[in-house]
Amino acid sequence: MDALEFARRIRNREQAVGYWVVLDDPIATERLARIGYDYVAVDAQHGLLGYTGIRDAMLAIDAGATSAAMVRVEQNDPFAIGRVLDAGATGVIVPLIDNAEDAAAAVRSTRYPPHGRRSYGPMRAQLRVGPTPAVSDEATLVLAMIETPEGLANVDEICATPGLDGVYVGPSDLRLAVGGATSTDPAVDGPFEEAVEKIAKAAEKAGIAAGIHNPSGEAARRRLAQGYTFASVACDLVHLEQAARSHLAAARDDR
């Protein structure tokens, strides 16, 4: 998918559905990218990929020509962000954003001077985004993850950060942030849902995109109906295990 077209869709709060990749397997990623998801996000924070794996995953995504390539970077750092953008990422999802200052730093890392501090060296990115800084700035998305107690408390200020294109909910950490004993603790369902709704409303008020990770397509559909503008579905490792377990149960007739 054309990078600028995708960036404009997300900024315009048009709905999009994506897939999440954690495995270092470009052939599998290429097949996933041809299914029809609007984007495929590569997880450099918790995923099982190094830089070469991230680069190869983006090559695989672009080979499908239908999905945009996103990367969740490992940290809010100019080097970490710039490197995946130079390798061709359409945009970055930046974890652990606690306040507007964190969000502003992430934005600066994705923009060339005079609007930011991204170092020039687009390598592969110049082939698919373009070598001109102004064009690259316009075609590059930056999304701030809301997943900590501080981030939740400061979500309105974060959403108002100039240049920020959207926010993204990390549900596992957010559930812990509202007091969950585990990342799936049902005892905090109430506070968790209140937090999820608060984030969506803050993004809507600021006129930016709101995204969230989901365990299934059904859950993604529910969040999109709730006001989120883009949603990611599960991940390749989880689906591999689920499919294998299901076929094993069927073969053994486990009921």
Side-chain angles (χ1 to χ4, degrees), residues 94-253:
V94 185
L96 302 172
I97 299 297
D98 288 334
N99 49 51
E101 290 75 19
D102 288 347
V107 172
R108 287 194 299 272
S109 295
T110 66
R111 303 294 188 256
Y112 289 112
H115 306 293
R117 57 178 305 190
R118 180 179 173 185
S119 177
Y120 189 82
M123 299 304 159
R124 178 172 178 265
Q126 65 183 309
L127 300 176
R128 61 180 310 279
V129 179
T132 305
V135 173
S136 179
D137 285 355
E138 187 180 1
T140 299
L141 291 168
V142 55
L143 309 168
M145 290 198 72
I146 307 297
E147 53 185 345
T148 66
E150 296 82 4
L152 181 61
N154 297 318
V155 66
D156 288 317
E157 292 81 4
I158 292 170
C159 288
T161 302
L164 187 70
D165 297 305
V167 290
Y168 188 81
V169 175
S172 295
D173 281 315
L174 185 63
R175 190 171 286 268
L176 297 177
V178 298
T182 69
S183 63
T184 58
D185 187 357
V188 296
D189 279 350
F192 174 78
E193 290 300 328
E194 290 175 5
V196 167
E197 185 173 355
K198 177 181 179 179
I199 295 166
K201 288 183 176 179
E204 181 180 18
K205 179 181 177 182
I208 64 172
I212 187 168
H213 200 85
N214 301 273
S216 67
E218 291 78 12
R221 183 172 66 247
R222 182 165 67 90
R223 295 304 186 191
L224 291 170
Q226 185 180 4
Y228 279 82
T229 61
F230 67 102
S232 304
V233 178
C235 75
D236 47 3
L237 180 60
V238 169
H239 283 160
L240 176 65
E241 181 181 8
Q242 288 176 344
R245 180 179 291 116
S246 175
H247 286 294
L248 177 61
R252 290 177 171 171
D253 197 22

Side-chain angles (χ1 to χ4, degrees), residues 35-122:
I35 291 174
Y37 286 95
D38 297 300
Y39 65 92
V40 174
V42 181
D43 191 351
Q45 183 190 21
H46 294 302
L48 306 172
L49 311 91
Y51 172 73
T52 301
I54 295 166
R55 179 204 65 196
D56 290 349
M58 285 189 286
L59 286 166
I61 295 166
D62 288 343
T66 60
S67 301
M70 299 283 288
V71 176
R72 175 165 72 173
V73 295
E74 60 264 41
Q75 59 185 327
N76 188 6
D77 173 79
F79 173 76
I81 292 171
R83 187 163 69 157
V84 300
L85 292 180
D86 289 345
T90 299
V92 290
I93 301 169
V94 185
L96 302 172
I97 299 297
D98 288 334
N99 49 51
E101 290 75 19
D102 288 347
V107 172
R108 287 194 299 272
S109 295
T110 66
R111 303 294 188 256
Y112 289 112
H115 306 293
R117 57 178 305 190
R118 180 179 173 185
S119 177
Y120 189 82

